[in-house]
Amino acid sequence: MPDFGFGQPHGGIIQTAFVVRDIHEAVRRWTTELGAGPFFLIPHWRGDNPVYRGRPSAAAVTIAMGFAGHMQIELIQPEDDHPSVYKELMDRSGPGFHHFGVASSDIDGDIARRAADGYVLAFRAGVRSGEVAYLDGGPEQPGMIELIEATPGLDESFTAMWRASVGWDGRDPLRTR
């Protein structure tokens, strides 16, 4: 398959994600110290029909997404104490790396293939452009894998954010989508 408009390959890593305590401080650090951005804010995200470890989920997070080169950076701040894949990391070790986002053209098939390799479905939800599924490979893995449905809507949304980063002058580092 051809690459997405933002330069990453179908079936490959398109995103690295971090759980943070303070989304505004994290965006400040990523933009001023690391040169990524601008970031686009998604407040109070729960997903459509979210399921966490087999049960409906009530957890909410605030998300900021931006680019460093062709790699999307996702910053995630848990908003409550409801069980979630994000709260798991905060409870275990505090803020830090959470997952690799991988484009998937067949989420159900990819979940089954990863399950055969020992991964467990930890979270699944609908998103504006399709569906996402988080797979937990256990403590030996550096983080979870988020399967992100490779749809035209995903490509359009991520490419628009990437285009905003090309030649970005540092102004307006946090924007709403």
Side-chain angles (χ1 to χ4, degrees):
M1 287 187 171
D3 291 344
F4 289 105
F6 54 96
Q8 293 292 56
H10 280 254
I13 296 172
I14 61 172
Q15 175 191 81
T16 54
F18 303 85
V19 174
V20 302
R21 289 192 200 286
D22 181 324
I23 201 86
H24 295 282
E25 175 58 24
V27 167
R28 185 208 59 77
R29 181 166 190 261
W30 277 88
T31 57
T32 62
E33 296 178 26
L34 302 172
F39 283 81
F40 294 83
L41 190 67
I42 304 169
H44 315 298
W45 185 84
R46 294 180 192 277
D48 296 329
N49 302 310
V51 176
Y52 167 71
R53 300 209 181 264
R55 296 185 161 191
S57 175
V61 295
T62 292
I63 297 170
M65 292 189 281
F67 275 81
H70 290 279
M71 181 60 62
Q72 186 187 71
I73 306 299
E74 181 179 37
L75 306 172
I76 306 158
Q77 177 187 320
E79 293 183 357
D80 53 46
D81 286 329
H82 292 293
S84 73
V85 291
Y86 315 108
K87 187 174 179 313
E88 284 180 15
L89 178 69
M90 292 297 269
D91 289 348
R92 183 176 60 246
S93 59
F97 175 74
H98 186 263
H99 68 263
F100 295 107
V102 176
S104 173
S105 296
D106 177 11
I107 285 189
D108 291 327
D110 287 339
I111 290 170
R113 283 185 282 285
R114 298 281 182 168
D117 291 336
Y119 283 82
V120 174
L121 180 62
F123 178 72
R124 191 168 186 172
V127 296
R128 187 167 64 176
S129 63
E131 193 173 19
V132 297
Y134 285 71
L135 301 169
D136 185 351
E140 299 299 315
Q141 299 299 322
M144 292 190 185
I145 293 174
E146 178 189 17
L147 300 173
I148 305 170
E149 191 171 12
T151 65
L154 166 102
D155 192 10
E156 179 182 322
S157 176
F158 281 26
T159 298
M161 286 184 261
W162 171 74
R163 284 189 180 125
S165 75
V166 176
W168 178 56
D169 63 6
R171 287 186 279 181
D172 196 16
L174 186 57
R175 304 168 184 190
T176 55
R177 286 178 47 169

